[in-house]
Amino acid sequence: MSVNERRRLTAVARGEAPADLYLRGATLLNVYTGELYAANVAVAGERVAYVGLRDDMVGARTRVLEVGGRVLVPGYVDPHVHPAHLVTPSALARHVLPLGTTTVFADTLQVWELGGLPAFRAVADALAPSPLKFYWMIRPQAQSRSAGEARRFRAGDIARALDHPWAVAVGEVTRWPDAWGGEPELLRRMELAHRRRMRVEGHTAGAAAEKIAAIAAAGFTSDHEPITAREVLERARQGIAVMLRESSLRPDLAGLLDALKEAPGLASRAMLTADGSMPAFVRDHGFVDHLLRVALDRGVPPVDAYRMVSLNAATYFGLDAEVGGIAPGRHADVCVLRDLGDPRPEIVVARGRVAAERGRLLAEVPEVPWRRALGSPAARLAVRWRARPGDFALPPRGRYPVARLVSAVITRLEERPLAAGDLHAALVDRAGRWVAPGVVAGFGDRVEGLASTISTDFNILALGRSPEAMARAVNRVLALHGGIVVVDGRDVACEVPLPIGGVMTPEPLAETAALEDRLRAALAARGYPHHDPLFTLFFLSADFLPHVRLTPRGVWDVRQARVLLPARRRPRER
Ligand SMILES: [Fe+2]
């Protein structure tokens, strides 16, 4: 904020200059004191200038919202969001602003993988004026280990990204075993944040209690991965700020909140997050408003629940002078509620403007110039190569390392001959230079051919019982410049085009959610037994999850860190 803006705020607060917006007659939830009392709110520009009962700053051109009988709470904050799951960050913002979310702390993985530092800057600059504020956590590493990682994630570039005005953290750091082990290169990357008094967003999925001390000592400042109340406490007791998660993949919040019964003091620090929820889940349940409903249903006192989705997140990131409460100097982000029991707002004020009313978006959310941001032919998947059935042939063997899905994302290793219900699987290089063949069981035994550019390392994942159908699915994905395609015989049974880098569509969230429904139904009809096929595809190549993964090196045994079936070069096209 400039000194002139500050001067104007003080003038409005003194009653010597007119406010732009004035909310009159409501009860205010003060998240700093936990009190509820009658107060009006005066806004100048993007900020709150005054909170109280005077109205001498109401002038001829002040827009006055009469909100008698309503409750004002701070705009909701999600401290850990993956904003590029099928939809663009802008499309997500357009959907969740009317639901009261006005600030997110967002991941950079997809953008960074597809375009590095320049792409991150293009995205962060384009979204800097968005009514939904995007703060950024900078990925220090790829999601999975691969040969080109050092080139794609240069420490100097990460440092430069952290100097962007909207960058606030390093994260998410998925390799907690390296943090636990004190691996120096990771610690150096985390130090880039510590040196700037920034946060390090951790990921400690599955880490046992006795490992948390070393992980905290390494410098993880938060974790959003606990799946039980006990794990919440184990992390919180070591000083790690815990983000309680309710996502499409892990709808765990109700159980996690039990930690508050054992340790009520946690309410002053815990945060709530929707993490990487997919569009259909957000359409069906909501976003941070949904987290609030779950918390209120679970008996969390309303003041605590609203604080967990506002002030606690702001304070954790050291941004409580900017967001997270309705007070002078802060961004004017206000939800007007019928009552505290119903977190869906009637009116949402974001950055000082009425951004939504009765569920309708009124504000303009800028879109990123994606062609410029992700302009390289590789990012756009503008390639000449095409897949052939032979790409998916398995080397002749008596026994294969089969990855059996035991949940949407967890696999178990079975070393055995091929059996009915097994699918051919392959990770194929985006540029067509190599293919890593494997075998997957428990995905859906009637899938003939499927291809997806939604994968942990942004290569192409193919699955199916017919190599011909798999090749057709991959080639259809290439023709679409990215997406998810299911093929039956010669026909495309279902497709989700993702023309922005193979990870996003420019369409609105509700339309994308409808495509997601169709894909889910198509896979369920072919035997898919779990609840989140998108995360199955996304994580089949994620080498930080147990136990067998399809990686660029080949089929990978996570626990023993060894290749079970190697990748091979694809013969060049003529
Ligand atoms: Fe996450």
Side-chain angles (χ1 to χ4, degrees):
M1 196 177 359
S2 69
V3 169
N4 276 341
E5 270 178 281
R6 283 267 180 221
R7 281 170 55 85
R8 179 160 178 236
L9 290 183
T10 63
V12 172
R14 290 193 306 269
E16 292 169 8
D20 294 317
L21 181 69
Y22 188 84
L23 289 85
R24 181 172 10 226
T27 299
L28 175 95
L29 173 64
N30 188 315
V31 290
Y32 308 104
T33 64
E35 298 169 286
L36 278 158
Y37 52 83
N40 304 325
V41 176
V43 174
E46 298 188 352
R47 304 275 176 161
V48 174
Y50 171 80
V51 179
L53 293 173
R54 275 175 30 227
D55 64 359
D56 49 354
M57 64 289 293
V58 174
R61 283 203 299 276
T62 303
R63 178 174 180 193
V64 177
L65 294 180
E66 299 291 350
V67 285
R70 301 295 185 258
V71 184
L72 308 183
V73 300
Y76 309 145
V77 181
D78 190 319
H80 184 94
V81 170
H82 301 282
H85 277 168
L86 306 189
V87 293
T88 65
S90 308
L92 180 68
R94 289 181 194 115
H95 190 89
V96 304
L97 263 172
L99 305 177
T101 301
T102 54
T103 300
V104 298
F105 291 82
D107 180 25
T108 45
L109 175 69
Q110 282 86 349
V111 161
W112 196 282
E113 277 286 13
L114 294 170
L117 176 65
F120 162 68
R121 282 180 173 154
V123 170
D125 289 347
L127 293 174
S130 162
L132 182 145
K133 284 166 291 304
F134 285 90
Y135 292 98
W136 300 98
M137 41 181 165
I138 308 300
R139 283 271 178 159
Q141 296 167 322
Q143 187 104 290
S144 279
R145 288 165 220 264
S146 64
E149 187 184 0
R151 177 177 43 76
R152 302 197 314 279
F153 288 82
R154 290 199 176 94
D157 284 349
I158 289 156
R160 279 183 278 276
L162 287 170
D163 291 332
H164 190 281
W166 288 91
V168 294
V170 158
E172 108 177 54
V173 183
T174 49
R175 292 178 202 166
W176 65 259
D178 284 357
W180 175 80
E183 196 272 316
E185 181 53 31
L186 175 57
L187 296 196
R188 267 193 287 277
R189 283 159 188 253
M190 287 161 52
E191 179 58 23
L192 297 173
H194 296 138
R195 187 187 298 160
R196 292 169 172 78
R197 307 231 164 109
M198 289 177 169
R199 300 300 179 212
V200 174
E201 301 314 292
H203 161 116
T204 71
E210 75 273 8
K211 298 208 159 150
I212 303 300
I215 291 169
F220 277 24
T221 58
S222 83
D223 183 30
H224 60 286
E225 292 291 342
I227 56 172
T228 63
R230 200 173 54 87
E231 286 187 352
V232 171
L233 289 174
E234 287 163 1
R235 284 146 181 81
R237 284 169 182 158
Q238 302 289 336
I240 290 177
V242 180
M243 298 164 177
L244 309 177
R245 174 173 60 189
E246 171 86 353
S247 71
S248 55
L249 179 62
R250 299 271 357 168
D252 297 326
L253 181 55
L256 300 179
L257 288 164
D258 287 348
L260 295 171
K261 291 184 193 145
E262 206 165 319
L266 202 53
S268 66
R269 182 149 158 94
M271 297 165 259
L272 309 184
T273 179
D275 197 1
S277 288
M278 288 294 172
F281 185 87
V282 175
R283 174 201 58 195
D284 293 344
H285 300 282
F287 205 59
V288 178
D289 55 306
H290 170 60
L291 312 178
L292 276 165
R293 263 188 306 278
V294 173
L296 295 169
D297 285 352
R298 197 71 178 179
V300 175
V303 173
D304 288 342
Y306 284 94
R307 210 185 250 146
M308 284 193 270
V309 299
S310 58
L311 182 63
N312 286 7
T315 304
Y316 164 71
F317 284 105
L319 288 166
D320 55 310
E322 290 290 305
V323 290
I326 304 172
R330 275 66 169 185
H331 278 283
D333 299 335
V334 179
C335 292
V336 179
L337 306 183
R338 189 165 279 285
D339 66 74
L340 281 185
D342 181 3
R344 279 221 176 173
E346 291 187 333
I347 299 173
V348 179
V349 174
R351 276 192 152 165
R353 302 269 185 90
V354 176
E357 232 178 311
R358 283 172 219 289
R360 265 195 44 234
L361 180 71
L362 301 175
E364 189 95 16
V365 178
E367 190 49 89
V368 174
W370 290 109
R371 262 199 93 85
R372 190 157 57 72
L374 305 180
S376 74
R380 285 189 288 115
L381 208 63
V383 295
R384 304 261 298 274
W385 70 274
R386 289 296 179 263
R388 298 173 290 248
D391 291 334
F392 308 108
L394 289 163
R397 281 198 180 186
R399 298 156 69 81
Y400 292 92
V402 179
R404 170 166 298 277
L405 279 159
V406 294
S407 77
V409 296
I410 305 300
T411 60
R412 199 174 60 210
L413 175 63
E414 293 176 357
E415 301 208 71
R416 57 166 174 76
L418 293 182
D422 290 345
L423 297 184
H424 286 264
L427 193 66
V428 190
D429 174 34
R430 267 173 103 96
R433 290 164 301 197
W434 51 259
V435 56
V439 184
V440 167
F443 183 87
D445 53 3
R446 298 185 297 284
V447 175
E448 288 193 26
L450 175 152
S452 169
T453 46
I454 295 284
S455 73
T456 296
D457 63 352
F458 304 92
N459 289 304
I460 300 169
L461 179 71
L463 288 168
R465 55 182 188 184
S466 150
E468 289 76 19
M470 290 166 75
R472 246 176 255 126
V474 169
N475 292 338
R476 178 65 189 153
V477 158
L478 293 176
L480 292 171
H481 302 294
I484 307 166
V485 171
V486 181
V487 163
D488 279 337
R490 310 198 70 83
D491 305 323
V492 171
C494 177
E495 67 184 27
V496 180
L498 300 170
I500 303 175
V503 297
M504 288 173 277
T505 143
E507 303 301 327
L509 185 139
E511 280 166 40
T512 308
L515 284 182
E516 189 189 332
D517 290 343
R518 254 176 274 158
L519 175 71
R520 196 181 302 267
L523 292 177
R526 287 160 183 77
Y528 178 81
H530 306 294
H531 74 292
D532 208 329
L534 288 163
F535 272 105
T536 305
L537 301 175
F538 190 53
F539 283 145
L540 255 179
S541 45
D543 66 5
F544 58 90
L545 289 168
H547 287 279
V548 206
R549 298 287 145 181
L550 208 51
T551 74
R553 283 165 295 192
V555 177
W556 181 252
D557 179 339
V558 175
R559 203 177 276 165
Q560 304 199 26
R562 62 187 175 130
V563 174
L564 299 168
L565 190 67
R568 60 176 182 243
R569 298 202 65 79
R570 283 185 76 248
R572 278 297 256 277
E573 266 105 315
R574 283 174 297 114

